[in-house]
Amino acid sequence: MIVARKRCYLPETGHDHEVAPGGRPRVGGWMGTRQGRSANRFAFVKVADAIALAGHEVHVCRYREARTLLRWLGEDQDGDGDLSGLRVLDVAGGDGYWAGQARKRGARAVALDLATSKLHYGRGLAHAPALIKGDALQLPFADASFDRVMSICAIEHFDDGEKALDEMTRVLAPGGDLVMSADALTLAEHWPNLFRAHCERYHVKRTYSHQELTSLLAARGLAVLEYRYQFRSRRAQRMYLGLSAYGGKFGFNAAAPAAPLVAASDRAARGDGGAIVLVRARRQGRDNPRHAASQGGSANR
């Protein structure tokens, strides 16, 4: 259990979320009305998961982006994707879908967000994490509460991104990893109108290159282990901004079939830069012989 400024917990088993209306634990046998309620709940979860998958994974960038961060969460764990026993926090995690994917891999996962409607929806997911309403600039958790902290393209929306990094560092245990992504848009000056429209539509306060994040993280005692960019070529960055500015609410989802082409373009692109930057960094603390941080990390592997 994690106890902090507000009472929060990490789920241990699938039964942590099985509560009756009003917060009372369900009681009784498996027959009769209990069976009917379970069937209805199962049917709802199936619909909720299908909708969440379509929104989060049928997406021209989010699938590769978030799946890379999930893989990085377990980079030092034995087994393929095993996160067993790790305490994982997803900052600005929305409905908790991606934290739920970490929980599905064995993590004791928490998603934090300010949007009550998203948190409410997330409770219907089959692998729902603990869902906490809270502010990324004032995380309601004790120091060193988590082994991994994840944040998917969130920091660029915060009023004070550096304060959010302070908080993510504070709740991360020494030797733990922070995996995050952010808008970089390193060629945005070529399309100022599209960039302005992107920032206005998605409330983007600033962008971050890997150099900027490396410096900000180093000042907080985190060493970058690796980074990579997505939408790396000039054409891909233009596509990203165009989808954002003119694609409508579901533009990135509708463009999902182009994801393999963007991935191929990224592999062929030269140099550093792109629309999105992904970073994996480790808080200094206990020795970890399996990965040593090198200056500037390893790029676009």
Side-chain angles (χ1 to χ4, degrees):
M1 178 180 289
I2 289 178
V3 178
R5 303 167 198 167
K6 297 182 180 179
R7 190 171 182 84
C8 304
Y9 76 97
L10 296 179
E12 302 260 3
T13 72
H15 301 291
D16 288 353
H17 299 282
E18 293 183 4
V19 295
R24 298 184 303 277
R26 294 191 186 276
V27 294
W30 290 95
M31 303 301 290
T33 58
R34 170 66 181 270
Q35 188 175 35
R37 286 197 302 269
S38 295
N40 290 338
R41 182 175 181 272
F42 181 76
F44 172 75
V45 165
K46 286 295 187 181
V47 173
D49 283 344
I51 293 172
L53 185 146
H56 290 284
E57 301 208 39
V58 183
H59 194 287
V60 70
C61 59
R62 197 70 72 222
Y63 178 85
R64 276 201 307 143
E65 176 188 359
R67 289 287 170 181
T68 298
L69 297 181
L70 278 174
R71 177 172 57 80
W72 283 353
L73 286 178
E75 196 77 359
D76 294 335
Q77 296 298 102
D78 293 330
D80 184 17
D82 180 32
L83 301 176
S84 296
L86 289 179
R87 302 166 297 169
V88 174
L89 171 66
D90 186 3
V91 176
D95 61 12
Y97 178 84
W98 292 111
Q101 297 304 300
R103 188 183 183 207
K104 188 176 180 180
R105 291 159 173 75
R108 301 169 60 201
V110 174
L112 174 136
D113 204 276
L114 279 172
T116 302
S117 60
K118 292 181 179 180
L119 296 171
H120 178 75
Y121 184 84
R123 294 188 180 98
L125 300 177
H127 298 281
L131 294 157
I132 305 297
K133 184 174 182 178
D135 189 344
L137 307 187
Q138 192 175 5
L139 294 174
F141 306 107
D143 296 355
S145 294
F146 295 93
D147 305 301
R148 303 285 189 272
V149 174
M150 174 169 64
S151 184
I152 303 173
C153 258
I155 189 173
E156 65 267 27
H157 307 292
F158 298 150
D159 290 330
D160 189 344
E162 295 189 27
K163 174 63 175 173
L165 288 177
D166 289 340
E167 283 292 279
M168 286 188 265
T169 301
R170 180 182 64 77
V171 302
L172 182 62
D177 286 0
L178 167 64
V179 300
M180 63 180 294
S181 57
D183 272 0
L185 294 166
T186 55
L187 297 177
E189 70 273 10
H190 295 289
W191 312 285
N193 292 334
L194 288 179
F195 179 62
R196 188 181 311 110
H198 168 74
C199 291
E200 289 174 356
R201 168 170 280 188
Y202 292 103
H203 308 288
V204 173
K205 303 302 174 63
R206 64 167 291 187
T207 57
Y208 297 83
S209 67
H210 81 273
Q211 296 98 330
E212 290 171 313
L213 285 175
T214 296
S215 178
L216 289 169
L217 293 169
R220 291 157 176 79
L222 287 90
V224 170
L225 303 176
E226 56 184 311
Y227 71 90
R228 65 182 56 187
Y229 285 94
Q230 293 184 354
F231 289 78
R232 295 177 60 199
S233 71
R234 181 186 176 105
R235 181 174 295 179
Q237 287 197 53
R238 171 63 175 79
M239 172 188 174
Y240 181 90
L241 280 175
L243 286 171
S244 175
Y246 303 124
K249 186 176 180 180
F250 302 108
F252 286 105
N253 302 94
L261 298 177
V262 175
S265 171
D266 285 352
R267 289 191 294 270
R270 297 182 179 275
D272 272 339
I276 302 170
V277 63
L278 289 70
V279 170
R280 174 177 171 237
R282 176 162 296 152
R283 185 177 180 187
Q284 296 175 9
R286 66 177 185 269
D287 292 334
N288 190 322
R290 296 183 64 178
H291 286 274
S294 59
Q295 182 67 34
S298 56
N300 296 315
R301 291 189 302 176

